[in-house]
Amino acid sequence: MGYGLKMSLALSAVVIAYLLMYSGTKFDPADVQDKKVLITGASSGIGKQMACHFAKMGANLVLTARRENLLKEVIEKCKKLSPNPTASHAYIVADMKELEKTKEVIKFSVDSLKGLDILVLNHARIPKMFDMWFGSQQNLTDLATDMDINFRAYVHLASHALPHLLKSKGRIAFVSSVAEKIPIPGVAVYTASKHAMQGFFGVLRQEMVMRNTGVSITSCMVAGTGTEQVMENLQESEGETAMDFHLADPTVVALEIVQATVARQYEVYTSSDILTSILVFLGKISPELADQLTMKAFFG
Ligand SMILES: *[C@@H]1O[C@H](CO)[C@@H](O)[C@H](O)[C@H]1NC(C)=O
């Protein structure tokens, strides 16, 4: 057998294995009925939309975020959307930079839901766009807070939730970013926090399998998405041209995450503009070329 033929046989085998892996992960909305779900960062953006999707499918919910007035509104919305008369919808106010609060959030959730099936780690401090790193004292101070919110809180929440997820053979979803696959100028610490969570949960996922726990972990690779916060940041830095960025619809992205999590998918790339998809693909083949194109795309 020639080398070329062997190579293409090997490649076909990989492609078929990949297709088999992913065709096995079917989403069934009936799986969500009566599930006990905690979502962080649920007052706006993708978190809020995930809460609505879960509510519509009849889940029991606990939502957490900093802003109580917004949380209350989301809860009201969930109550209206839920087809399940016995479903419960509760919230707890928490700022994820206070790591000691994470224990309380999990305790409240488990008490209120009487267990926990799905933990959706979604909250983040989204940086202002195109803010470069100068290594100033301010930058270093922000580094500590941002890593607490965007990374360490994820580990703390997952750790406190784990005993309950082991009982329910539950699911964890963590919202990462394509910034984990390709560096994007102006968001150094945010990008670093996504790498950190990918590393941590990548290992935890292996250990869940090795310990035979039945707990699944889904990484969610989110690209530019038009959430309230992102649009606000963009308008601040870009003015009218903010509309030129082809951002994904948060409702669509949220549904993609919910489906992948419920189907226990290994990872999901949510809706993305074509440029980002190309850059992510290119990043695997030639990181240097992907870098050059990314810098061009962001700074013309
Ligand atoms: C870093 O600090 C400088 C000076 O304080 C500031 O102008 C810049 O916006 C900061 N960068 C980030 C990423 O916060």
Side-chain angles (χ1 to χ4, degrees), residues 131-136 138-139 142 186:
D131 220 357
M132 286 201 184
W133 181 263
F134 294 106
S136 66
Q138 190 57 50
N139 293 163
D142 292 346

Side-chain angles (χ1 to χ4, degrees), residues 59-246:
N60 299 294
L61 289 172
V62 169
L63 309 180
T64 183
R66 285 168 308 154
R67 296 171 291 182
E68 183 164 21
N69 55 331
L70 295 184
L71 274 177
K72 274 187 179 155
E73 283 173 31
V74 181
I75 290 286
E76 283 316 306
K77 206 165 172 201
C78 288
K79 282 193 188 345
K80 284 199 192 103
L81 288 170
S82 177
N84 186 351
T86 59
S88 71
H89 308 92
Y91 72 85
I92 174 169
V93 176
D95 188 337
M96 288 302 160
K97 75 169 179 265
E98 292 156 28
L99 291 175
E100 64 282 5
K101 263 257 175 189
T102 56
K103 202 168 189 172
E104 205 182 311
V105 168
I106 298 298
K107 186 175 180 328
F108 174 86
S109 307
V110 171
D111 288 349
S112 149
L113 298 165
K114 298 179 185 63
L116 186 64
D117 296 309
I118 304 180
L119 170 64
V120 182
L121 298 168
N122 161 76
H123 72 269
R125 200 189 75 78
I126 308 276
K128 298 251 178 289
M129 305 287 153
F130 313 123
D131 220 357
M132 286 201 184
W133 181 263
F134 294 106
S136 66
Q137 191 48 53
Q138 190 57 50
N139 293 163
L140 295 173
T141 307
D142 292 346
L143 169 69
T145 320
D146 285 4
M147 286 306 274
D148 278 357
I149 299 171
N150 290 3
F151 171 61
R152 289 176 70 202
Y154 277 54
V155 177
H156 282 238
L157 286 160
S159 303
H160 299 314
L162 206 50
H164 310 285
L165 293 170
L166 291 177
K167 270 187 220 148
S168 62
K169 298 193 186 308
R171 299 160 167 88
I172 298 176
F174 65 97
V175 175
S176 185
S177 162
V178 291
E180 196 272 324
K181 300 288 175 194
I182 43 162
I184 298 168
V187 288
V189 177
Y190 177 78
T191 303
S193 71
K194 296 302 189 192
H195 275 259
M197 69 170 71
Q198 203 69 44
F200 178 83
F201 286 104
V203 172
L204 187 64
R205 182 198 279 128
Q206 291 178 328
E207 294 180 357
M208 289 296 106
V209 174
M210 290 163 75
R211 288 168 56 193
N212 239 326
T213 62
V215 175
S216 60
I217 302 186
T218 303
S219 22
C220 311
M221 297 300 178
V222 173
T225 303
T227 61
E228 299 92 327
Q229 185 66 64
V230 166
M231 293 316 287
E232 211 174 275
N233 286 358
L234 268 178
Q235 244 131 29
E236 217 171 273
S237 64
E238 301 298 295
E240 288 304 299
T241 60
M243 297 318 281
D244 295 347
F245 291 83
H246 300 284

Side-chain angles (χ1 to χ4, degrees), residues 26-57:
K26 287 270 184 326
F27 167 74
D28 183 357
D31 283 348
V32 180
Q33 179 84 19
D34 296 323
K35 282 282 183 298
K36 301 156 184 177
V37 185
L38 165 62
I39 306 172
T40 72
S43 62
S44 69
I46 298 170
K48 170 182 170 179
Q49 299 305 329
M50 284 194 277
C52 293
H53 288 304
F54 272 120
K56 242 185 262 174
M57 297 172 199

Side-chain angles (χ1 to χ4, degrees), residues 177-178 222-227 230 246-249 253 270-273 276:
S177 162
V178 291
V222 173
T225 303
T227 61
V230 166
H246 300 284
L247 298 172
D249 178 346
V253 170
T270 60
S271 293
S272 163
D273 59 292
T276 304

